[in-house]
Amino acid sequence: AQSVTQLGSHVSVSEGALVLLRCNYSSSVPPYLFWYVQYPNQGLQLLLKYTTGATLVKGINGFEAEFKKSETSFHLTKPSAHMSDAAEYFCAVSGSAGDMRFGAGTRLTVKP
Amino acid sequence: KAGVTQTPRYLIKTRGQQVTLSCSPISGHRSVSWYQQTPGQGLQFLFEYFSETQRNKGNFPGRFSGRQFSNSRSEMNVSTLELGDSALYLCASSIGLAGGRTYNEQFFGPGTRLTVL
């Protein structure tokens, strides 16, 4: 079975500081991994995805994530936080049957 | 292209009633997935439809059902509503590939917020 664990339900950073949101996965098949962002009262928007190939994946809004098989991790980073980055972030893995399994989410707060 | 649309956006029902939610995917997308989002349980996968057939199903009781039409539009039905069914129901569409493994981007609608009183 596939699953993801997001470490830290809340992360707070100052504007301009590094953003690091942690995700560890479990998968019985080569994983397809995703990061989504959700703004209040909206659906989810894909930030980036890893399927095969390059392990460092670049996404929208300056975010990137690195797939580390040895650590079963797919952490999301952004060098410099912006106020507009405040939102909830979800890590997800595609199950072997094609279903998506989401983590519990991490709420990012950006302080001025 | 128009995005994924969900109707209605807000719904208030009472216990015991049933409800039908609608989702129109992006044109050309054949896969539609439904999710339930609650503060306590987070995002949980309900089911996925592809070409009018349920391809995957999450761990929800039989009160939750769905269907997909030939134009890929999908409906989700919840019968005998319970207080715990109050949630944001999200629909997502993707191009979909035969075989089931999803690595196409899923595009989410804004959701339907269901409140059960």
Side-chain angles (χ1 to χ4, degrees), chain B residues 11-106:
Chain B
L11 206 50
I12 300 175
K13 292 284 188 179
T14 56
R15 279 180 297 173
Q17 288 187 309
Q18 75 165 21
V19 66
T20 299
L21 312 182
S22 181
C23 172
S24 292
I26 291 172
S27 177
H29 285 193
R30 296 166 64 191
S31 169
V32 173
S33 298
W34 288 89
Y35 298 86
Q36 181 195 66
Q37 186 177 25
T38 60
Q41 299 298 318
L43 266 165
Q44 294 186 285
F45 172 76
L46 279 155
F47 29 65
E48 182 213 2
Y49 285 86
F50 178 78
S51 292
E52 301 180 65
T53 301
Q54 188 180 87
R55 188 162 65 174
N56 295 299
K57 188 177 189 303
N59 188 27
F60 275 81
R63 300 185 298 107
F64 291 82
S65 63
R67 59 178 175 169
Q68 186 180 35
F69 302 95
S70 58
N71 61 358
S72 293
R73 189 177 69 86
S74 178
E75 288 182 348
M76 189 194 110
N77 184 274
V78 187
S79 62
T80 319
L81 284 166
E82 300 176 359
L83 294 178
D85 297 333
S86 294
L88 181 66
Y89 289 89
L90 292 164
C91 164
S93 78
S94 68
I95 293 173
L97 291 176
R101 190 85 193 275
T102 301
Y103 57 87
N104 303 114
E105 175 180 354
Q106 289 198 341

Side-chain angles (χ1 to χ4, degrees), chain A residues 4-108:
Chain A
V4 292
T5 301
Q6 291 183 242
L7 301 175
S9 58
H10 290 89
V11 170
S12 181
V13 301
S14 298
E15 192 172 20
L18 171 72
V19 175
L20 170 61
L21 304 182
R22 300 176 187 273
C23 172
N24 287 89
Y25 71 90
S26 171
S27 179
S28 56
V29 297
Y32 295 156
L33 296 160
F34 308 80
W35 274 101
Y36 283 85
V37 62
Q38 186 179 33
Y39 298 101
N41 298 315
Q42 294 187 25
L44 279 68
Q45 179 184 9
L46 182 71
L47 281 174
L48 48 80
K49 65 181 179 184
Y50 169 80
T51 53
T52 58
T55 56
L56 182 61
V57 181
K58 294 186 185 300
I60 63 171
N61 302 339
F63 284 94
E64 61 182 37
E66 186 171 12
F67 170 65
K68 291 187 176 180
K69 184 178 178 180
S70 61
E71 298 178 7
T72 61
S73 69
F74 190 59
H75 301 332
L76 181 72
T77 60
K78 182 174 181 178
S80 177
H82 192 272
M83 296 297 290
S84 61
D85 294 327
E88 188 148 23
Y89 292 80
F90 293 91
C91 181
V93 61
S94 174
S96 56
D99 53 315
M100 294 279 279
R101 303 288 178 177
F102 286 84
T106 297
R107 185 168 298 280
L108 175 66

